[in-house]
Amino acid sequence: MRKYLLFTLFVLLPSLSICQEIYRPFLEDGKVWTYHYYNDFTGKEFYKALTIKGDTIIADKSYKTIADVETGRTEYVMREEGKKVYSKYLDWDEYVLYDFGLNVGDSFKLYDDDNGTDPSARATVVSVDTIVVGNRAFRVMDVRPNDMMGWSNLWVEGIGGMYSLTANFLAVGNFYNFSICQLDGETLFTWKDFGTSGIIGQPQMSNKGISSNIYDIQGRRLMEQPRKGVYIRDGRKVVVK
């Protein structure tokens, strides 16, 4: 009986190790993030790719330098500690861009408000799920400012969010949207993969009746075809004026 138990444990151990959660770092040498810029008011459109370009020390802290792939220009640096990602424009103080260690129900402060009653000053994790792309599983979190609880906002561990590299939430005037993330030339995640999460539109919105082939440019499924603006249908961008 004892030998049988030992044999069973020996067989199960490999599968147990595979099921263990492995944190996927955000900052990895060789990683490239590409973002799509589109301004509906001016019609201006282009793609911008950013990558890690070496290390730097600022105030005794080690950062990764983030550079524009095309121009080589550097505007900010980032560092990762535990499951937190810190971003810093060269002339500003650093701030927490992502905290991938949060769980459902966790609430955190976005900025200091005077009396502590401003709902926009805090955000809450409303859902956590897993997105499988190829043979990789990515932990995805729906994190929403408390004054925008009806608007899905996804953070993907190791990839980032749905908007620009330094924007963890939708902001007024933000025309950048995530397009693709690659590591050493291999595609890890694309904007379409956001739409495969089971937490899109939850818990405030129902998925009932949603067309599976119509998305906004952030990768969210739409209830119906927009009357105006930009959306994706059957993998193609459509502009309605």
Side-chain angles (χ1 to χ4, degrees):
M1 182 68 175
R2 186 176 181 181
K3 290 183 178 179
Y4 175 77
L5 289 174
L6 289 174
F7 176 77
T8 302
L9 288 173
F10 177 77
V11 172
L12 288 178
L13 280 175
S15 60
L16 289 174
S17 63
I18 292 174
C19 294
Q20 290 178 350
E21 181 179 345
I22 300 175
Y23 175 70
R24 299 186 177 279
F26 182 75
L27 299 175
E28 298 178 276
D29 291 331
K31 185 173 283 186
V32 177
W33 297 266
T34 302
Y35 296 88
H36 175 232
Y37 177 96
Y38 182 81
N39 189 324
D40 193 33
F41 301 103
T42 64
K44 188 176 182 181
E45 180 179 17
F46 59 86
Y47 285 88
K48 183 175 185 178
L50 300 167
T51 190
I52 295 173
K53 189 179 180 181
D55 303 304
T56 186
I57 303 295
I58 302 176
D60 297 326
K61 293 180 180 178
S62 179
Y63 290 90
K64 296 289 187 181
T65 302
I66 308 300
D68 186 300
V69 171
E70 182 177 359
T71 66
R73 181 180 177 183
T74 298
E75 295 182 350
Y76 46 86
V77 295
M78 292 183 176
R79 68 183 182 92
E80 194 164 4
E81 184 177 321
K83 295 185 178 182
K84 290 185 178 181
V85 178
Y86 298 83
S87 181
K88 170 180 167 57
Y89 285 88
L90 299 183
D91 296 328
W92 294 7
D93 294 334
E94 71 173 18
Y95 62 95
V96 178
L97 177 62
Y98 297 110
D99 185 350
F100 293 114
L102 297 173
N103 293 297
V104 175
D106 286 345
S107 180
F108 59 96
K109 185 181 293 185
L110 296 175
Y111 61 87
D112 292 322
D113 57 328
D114 294 333
N115 54 19
T117 60
D118 183 0
S120 66
R122 299 193 66 82
T124 302
V125 181
V126 299
S127 299
V128 176
D129 196 9
T130 299
I131 291 178
V132 178
V133 180
N135 60 352
R136 293 184 176 89
F138 297 90
R139 184 173 186 262
V140 57
M141 309 156 59
D142 192 346
V143 187
R144 310 186 188 191
N146 289 1
D147 64 336
M148 296 178 64
M149 294 300 285
W151 192 273
S152 297
N153 180 74
L154 303 186
W155 296 359
V156 178
E157 186 179 283
I159 302 298
M162 306 173 75
Y163 307 106
S164 65
L165 188 62
T166 55
N168 47 16
F169 297 102
L170 177 64
V172 175
N174 175 54
F175 299 104
Y176 283 99
N177 297 280
F178 173 87
S179 179
I180 189 172
C181 180
Q182 298 169 297
L183 180 62
D184 295 328
E186 180 183 358
T187 297
L188 298 179
F189 201 91
T190 73
W191 64 269
K192 291 183 179 180
D193 296 319
F194 282 120
T196 66
S197 171
I199 63 177
I200 288 285
Q202 296 293 335
Q204 281 72 25
M205 296 171 59
S206 170
N207 283 333
K208 184 178 181 181
I210 295 179
S211 174
S212 61
N213 65 341
I214 300 179
Y215 300 83
D216 65 12
I217 56 176
Q218 285 82 39
R220 295 182 292 258
R221 291 188 181 94
L222 299 180
M223 298 293 293
E224 58 184 10
Q225 179 175 314
R227 296 181 179 179
K228 185 177 182 181
V230 183
Y231 66 96
I232 306 297
R233 183 175 63 193
D234 297 326
R236 296 184 178 183
K237 187 174 69 175
V238 179
V239 181
V240 181
K241 298 182 178 180

